[in-house]
Amino acid sequence: MTQTDSKAGNPELWVDEHGDALYRYALSRLQNAAAAEDLVQETFLAALKSGGEFAGRSTMRTWLIGILKHKIIDYIRKESRERPTEDLATTDASDETFFDSTGRWRAGFTNRQADPRKMLEHKEFRAMLACCLARLPESLQRVFVLRELENQETEEICKELDVSSTNLWVMLHRARLRLQNCLTENWFSNPKGKD
Amino acid sequence: MLTCKEVSRLVSESLDHPLPVRRRVAVRLHLVMCNLCRSYRSQMLALRQVIRRYADADDPGLEGAQMPARVLDRIKRALQEQRDRPGEAPLEKP
């Protein structure tokens, strides 16, 4: 199967060539297999509908990922509108997990932290990270995915999710702290992480 | 003098927007003296780097999930149907 075949209107071949990559892309951002499957399907259908539009502007993969990216951002925006969660910028209690009442780090919190770069070398890491992302409260997950995985600017995210920039910064901070903490916990409970 | 809690928030914010100069100076001053916050800062930078790699669907270094076969079939059928539907099919390329 060649790129030419797929471009010449063999959309079933697109699915074989790019299905897994698109699925991984969606799954890493949504932590929800059913939603990821649906968005990948919509992406292929949209690609088919737009027919020859691709016409060598970029690689097939980049073109499809570009369509999927929009679908994911739409999905997150819609979810946040339809299923608003509590305002974690103001009500989250996780600060006490990390800091004592004088604002100092709780004993041993940062110096026992694992270096994510070392974790990356282990093949279980991707699953570990996915699991930690999935454990974030939904509202933190959404802002974190848009900011760190989709690399959107904070102004864009504020507009899309209708939050103030101050709230967004607080939420991103909480997401990062929790994620780092979760990764560390998983890492040290995994025998391979102990070296 | 900023507390670690404030510094951790500002370090995170500095990943999202440039801090005002006075804030930046205060954070730096704290970091010089506080190794816990220095270590936190380097973890946050590492986390960003690692997440960016994780975000790349084509990253060859990481094994990834595969689309279940039944979903692949479902998508292929949907594509087939859309193509066969009169009026919905894209124009043949000239």
Side-chain angles (χ1 to χ4, degrees), chain A residues 23 33-34 37-38 41, chain B residues 67-77:
Chain A
Y23 180 61
E37 290 163 6
D38 289 347
Q41 174 162 340
Chain B
M67 185 91 111
R70 58 169 177 83
V71 183
L72 290 175
D73 289 342
R74 187 187 84 193
I75 295 176
K76 286 179 186 173
R77 271 199 313 277

PDB file of all heavy atoms in Angstrom, chain A residues 23 33-34 37-38 41, chain B residues 67-77:
ATOM      1  N   TYR A  23      -5.746   7.111  16.923  1.00  0.00           N
ATOM      2  CA  TYR A  23      -6.368   6.610  18.149  1.00  0.00           C
ATOM      3  C   TYR A  23      -5.503   6.943  19.365  1.00  0.00           C
ATOM      4  O   TYR A  23      -5.994   7.429  20.385  1.00  0.00           O
ATOM      5  CB  TYR A  23      -6.563   5.098  18.024  1.00  0.00           C
ATOM      6  CG  TYR A  23      -7.203   4.449  19.215  1.00  0.00           C
ATOM      7  CD1 TYR A  23      -8.486   4.817  19.629  1.00  0.00           C
ATOM      8  CD2 TYR A  23      -6.539   3.455  19.929  1.00  0.00           C
ATOM      9  CE1 TYR A  23      -9.083   4.213  20.719  1.00  0.00           C
ATOM     10  CE2 TYR A  23      -7.135   2.850  21.019  1.00  0.00           C
ATOM     11  CZ  TYR A  23      -8.402   3.226  21.411  1.00  0.00           C
ATOM     12  OH  TYR A  23      -8.984   2.630  22.491  1.00  0.00           O
ATOM     13  N   ALA A  33     -11.718   5.786  26.010  1.00  0.00           N
ATOM     14  CA  ALA A  33     -11.573   5.016  24.777  1.00  0.00           C
ATOM     15  C   ALA A  33     -12.752   5.218  23.829  1.00  0.00           C
ATOM     16  O   ALA A  33     -12.556   5.404  22.621  1.00  0.00           O
ATOM     17  CB  ALA A  33     -11.393   3.537  25.096  1.00  0.00           C
ATOM     18  N   ALA A  34     -13.974   5.222  24.372  1.00  0.00           N
ATOM     19  CA  ALA A  34     -15.147   5.332  23.499  1.00  0.00           C
ATOM     20  C   ALA A  34     -15.137   6.681  22.778  1.00  0.00           C
ATOM     21  O   ALA A  34     -15.400   6.753  21.569  1.00  0.00           O
ATOM     22  CB  ALA A  34     -16.424   5.173  24.313  1.00  0.00           C
ATOM     23  N   GLU A  37     -12.450   6.670  20.069  1.00  0.00           N
ATOM     24  CA  GLU A  37     -12.877   5.915  18.881  1.00  0.00           C
ATOM     25  C   GLU A  37     -13.825   6.747  18.021  1.00  0.00           C
ATOM     26  O   GLU A  37     -13.675   6.808  16.790  1.00  0.00           O
ATOM     27  CB  GLU A  37     -13.592   4.622  19.308  1.00  0.00           C
ATOM     28  CG  GLU A  37     -12.660   3.600  19.928  1.00  0.00           C
ATOM     29  CD  GLU A  37     -13.401   2.516  20.715  1.00  0.00           C
ATOM     30  OE1 GLU A  37     -14.657   2.492  20.679  1.00  0.00           O
ATOM     31  OE2 GLU A  37     -12.716   1.700  21.370  1.00  0.00           O
ATOM     32  N   ASP A  38     -14.798   7.387  18.679  1.00  0.00           N
ATOM     33  CA  ASP A  38     -15.777   8.183  17.924  1.00  0.00           C
ATOM     34  C   ASP A  38     -15.117   9.336  17.186  1.00  0.00           C
ATOM     35  O   ASP A  38     -15.432   9.605  16.027  1.00  0.00           O
ATOM     36  CB  ASP A  38     -16.853   8.739  18.865  1.00  0.00           C
ATOM     37  CG  ASP A  38     -17.784   7.641  19.358  1.00  0.00           C
ATOM     38  OD1 ASP A  38     -17.734   6.534  18.783  1.00  0.00           O
ATOM     39  OD2 ASP A  38     -18.550   7.888  20.315  1.00  0.00           O
ATOM     40  N   GLN A  41     -13.258   8.144  14.169  1.00  0.00           N
ATOM     41  CA  GLN A  41     -14.217   7.852  13.094  1.00  0.00           C
ATOM     42  C   GLN A  41     -14.685   9.143  12.408  1.00  0.00           C
ATOM     43  O   GLN A  41     -14.679   9.243  11.180  1.00  0.00           O
ATOM     44  CB  GLN A  41     -15.426   7.088  13.656  1.00  0.00           C
ATOM     45  CG  GLN A  41     -16.532   6.898  12.605  1.00  0.00           C
ATOM     46  CD  GLN A  41     -17.509   5.791  12.983  1.00  0.00           C
ATOM     47  OE1 GLN A  41     -17.213   4.923  13.805  1.00  0.00           O
ATOM     48  NE2 GLN A  41     -18.673   5.824  12.374  1.00  0.00           N
TER      49      GLN A  41
ATOM     50  N   MET B  67      -5.892   0.551  18.031  1.00  0.00           N
ATOM     51  CA  MET B  67      -7.327   0.637  17.848  1.00  0.00           C
ATOM     52  C   MET B  67      -7.895  -0.779  17.802  1.00  0.00           C
ATOM     53  O   MET B  67      -7.409  -1.608  17.033  1.00  0.00           O
ATOM     54  CB  MET B  67      -7.569   1.345  16.514  1.00  0.00           C
ATOM     55  CG  MET B  67      -8.978   1.611  16.221  1.00  0.00           C
ATOM     56  SD  MET B  67      -9.448   3.211  16.834  1.00  0.00           S
ATOM     57  CE  MET B  67      -9.675   4.071  15.308  1.00  0.00           C
ATOM     58  N   PRO B  68      -8.928  -1.080  18.586  1.00  0.00           N
ATOM     59  CA  PRO B  68      -9.505  -2.430  18.538  1.00  0.00           C
ATOM     60  C   PRO B  68     -10.030  -2.757  17.131  1.00  0.00           C
ATOM     61  O   PRO B  68     -10.554  -1.870  16.460  1.00  0.00           O
ATOM     62  CB  PRO B  68     -10.670  -2.358  19.531  1.00  0.00           C
ATOM     63  CG  PRO B  68     -10.439  -1.140  20.348  1.00  0.00           C
ATOM     64  CD  PRO B  68      -9.610  -0.200  19.526  1.00  0.00           C
ATOM     65  N   ALA B  69      -9.862  -4.025  16.720  1.00  0.00           N
ATOM     66  CA  ALA B  69     -10.229  -4.417  15.361  1.00  0.00           C
ATOM     67  C   ALA B  69     -11.695  -4.125  15.047  1.00  0.00           C
ATOM     68  O   ALA B  69     -12.024  -3.681  13.942  1.00  0.00           O
ATOM     69  CB  ALA B  69      -9.934  -5.906  15.155  1.00  0.00           C
ATOM     70  N   ARG B  70     -12.571  -4.331  16.031  1.00  0.00           N
ATOM     71  CA  ARG B  70     -13.999  -4.099  15.740  1.00  0.00           C
ATOM     72  C   ARG B  70     -14.245  -2.625  15.410  1.00  0.00           C
ATOM     73  O   ARG B  70     -15.110  -2.279  14.606  1.00  0.00           O
ATOM     74  CB  ARG B  70     -14.891  -4.533  16.916  1.00  0.00           C
ATOM     75  CG  ARG B  70     -14.564  -3.847  18.189  1.00  0.00           C
ATOM     76  CD  ARG B  70     -15.509  -4.001  19.346  1.00  0.00           C
ATOM     77  NE  ARG B  70     -14.909  -3.299  20.470  1.00  0.00           N
ATOM     78  CZ  ARG B  70     -15.006  -1.994  20.668  1.00  0.00           C
ATOM     79  NH1 ARG B  70     -15.730  -1.244  19.881  1.00  0.00           N
ATOM     80  NH2 ARG B  70     -14.382  -1.417  21.699  1.00  0.00           N
ATOM     81  N   VAL B  71     -13.446  -1.722  16.031  1.00  0.00           N
ATOM     82  CA  VAL B  71     -13.627  -0.297  15.735  1.00  0.00           C
ATOM     83  C   VAL B  71     -13.089   0.029  14.346  1.00  0.00           C
ATOM     84  O   VAL B  71     -13.703   0.793  13.590  1.00  0.00           O
ATOM     85  CB  VAL B  71     -12.940   0.585  16.798  1.00  0.00           C
ATOM     86  CG1 VAL B  71     -13.199   2.055  16.517  1.00  0.00           C
ATOM     87  CG2 VAL B  71     -13.428   0.220  18.190  1.00  0.00           C
ATOM     88  N   LEU B  72     -11.958  -0.589  14.005  1.00  0.00           N
ATOM     89  CA  LEU B  72     -11.427  -0.386  12.653  1.00  0.00           C
ATOM     90  C   LEU B  72     -12.471  -0.784  11.621  1.00  0.00           C
ATOM     91  O   LEU B  72     -12.713  -0.069  10.646  1.00  0.00           O
ATOM     92  CB  LEU B  72     -10.150  -1.213  12.450  1.00  0.00           C
ATOM     93  CG  LEU B  72      -8.906  -0.758  13.217  1.00  0.00           C
ATOM     94  CD1 LEU B  72      -7.765  -1.744  12.999  1.00  0.00           C
ATOM     95  CD2 LEU B  72      -8.483   0.638  12.799  1.00  0.00           C
ATOM     96  N   ASP B  73     -13.104  -1.938  11.854  1.00  0.00           N
ATOM     97  CA  ASP B  73     -14.131  -2.405  10.910  1.00  0.00           C
ATOM     98  C   ASP B  73     -15.308  -1.450  10.865  1.00  0.00           C
ATOM     99  O   ASP B  73     -15.836  -1.143   9.799  1.00  0.00           O
ATOM    100  CB  ASP B  73     -14.622  -3.807  11.312  1.00  0.00           C
ATOM    101  CG  ASP B  73     -13.552  -4.853  11.054  1.00  0.00           C
ATOM    102  OD1 ASP B  73     -12.622  -4.552  10.276  1.00  0.00           O
ATOM    103  OD2 ASP B  73     -13.643  -5.961  11.626  1.00  0.00           O
ATOM    104  N   ARG B  74     -15.711  -0.989  12.046  1.00  0.00           N
ATOM    105  CA  ARG B  74     -16.852  -0.070  12.110  1.00  0.00           C
ATOM    106  C   ARG B  74     -16.552   1.196  11.303  1.00  0.00           C
ATOM    107  O   ARG B  74     -17.386   1.679  10.541  1.00  0.00           O
ATOM    108  CB  ARG B  74     -17.109   0.293  13.581  1.00  0.00           C
ATOM    109  CG  ARG B  74     -18.354   1.108  13.811  1.00  0.00           C
ATOM    110  CD  ARG B  74     -18.442   1.559  15.256  1.00  0.00           C
ATOM    111  NE  ARG B  74     -17.681   2.785  15.484  1.00  0.00           N
ATOM    112  CZ  ARG B  74     -17.381   3.258  16.702  1.00  0.00           C
ATOM    113  NH1 ARG B  74     -17.735   2.587  17.784  1.00  0.00           N
ATOM    114  NH2 ARG B  74     -16.717   4.376  16.834  1.00  0.00           N
ATOM    115  N   ILE B  75     -15.339   1.708  11.460  1.00  0.00           N
ATOM    116  CA  ILE B  75     -14.974   2.936  10.746  1.00  0.00           C
ATOM    117  C   ILE B  75     -14.941   2.697   9.240  1.00  0.00           C
ATOM    118  O   ILE B  75     -15.441   3.504   8.446  1.00  0.00           O
ATOM    119  CB  ILE B  75     -13.624   3.482  11.255  1.00  0.00           C
ATOM    120  CG1 ILE B  75     -13.769   3.917  12.717  1.00  0.00           C
ATOM    121  CG2 ILE B  75     -13.145   4.648  10.397  1.00  0.00           C
ATOM    122  CD1 ILE B  75     -12.483   4.389  13.360  1.00  0.00           C
ATOM    123  N   LYS B  76     -14.391   1.533   8.856  1.00  0.00           N
ATOM    124  CA  LYS B  76     -14.344   1.231   7.426  1.00  0.00           C
ATOM    125  C   LYS B  76     -15.747   1.130   6.838  1.00  0.00           C
ATOM    126  O   LYS B  76     -16.010   1.613   5.738  1.00  0.00           O
ATOM    127  CB  LYS B  76     -13.580  -0.072   7.183  1.00  0.00           C
ATOM    128  CG  LYS B  76     -12.088   0.090   7.356  1.00  0.00           C
ATOM    129  CD  LYS B  76     -11.378  -1.228   7.139  1.00  0.00           C
ATOM    130  CE  LYS B  76      -9.905  -1.086   7.464  1.00  0.00           C
ATOM    131  NZ  LYS B  76      -9.203  -2.370   7.433  1.00  0.00           N
ATOM    132  N   ARG B  77     -16.652   0.502   7.609  1.00  0.00           N
ATOM    133  CA  ARG B  77     -18.038   0.393   7.125  1.00  0.00           C
ATOM    134  C   ARG B  77     -18.674   1.771   6.983  1.00  0.00           C
ATOM    135  O   ARG B  77     -19.347   2.073   6.008  1.00  0.00           O
ATOM    136  CB  ARG B  77     -18.866  -0.484   8.077  1.00  0.00           C
ATOM    137  CG  ARG B  77     -18.840  -1.960   7.736  1.00  0.00           C
ATOM    138  CD  ARG B  77     -20.021  -2.696   8.384  1.00  0.00           C
ATOM    139  NE  ARG B  77     -20.204  -2.358   9.791  1.00  0.00           N
ATOM    140  CZ  ARG B  77     -19.514  -2.928  10.784  1.00  0.00           C
ATOM    141  NH1 ARG B  77     -18.598  -3.835  10.537  1.00  0.00           N
ATOM    142  NH2 ARG B  77     -19.761  -2.588  12.035  1.00  0.00           N
TER     143      ARG B  77
END
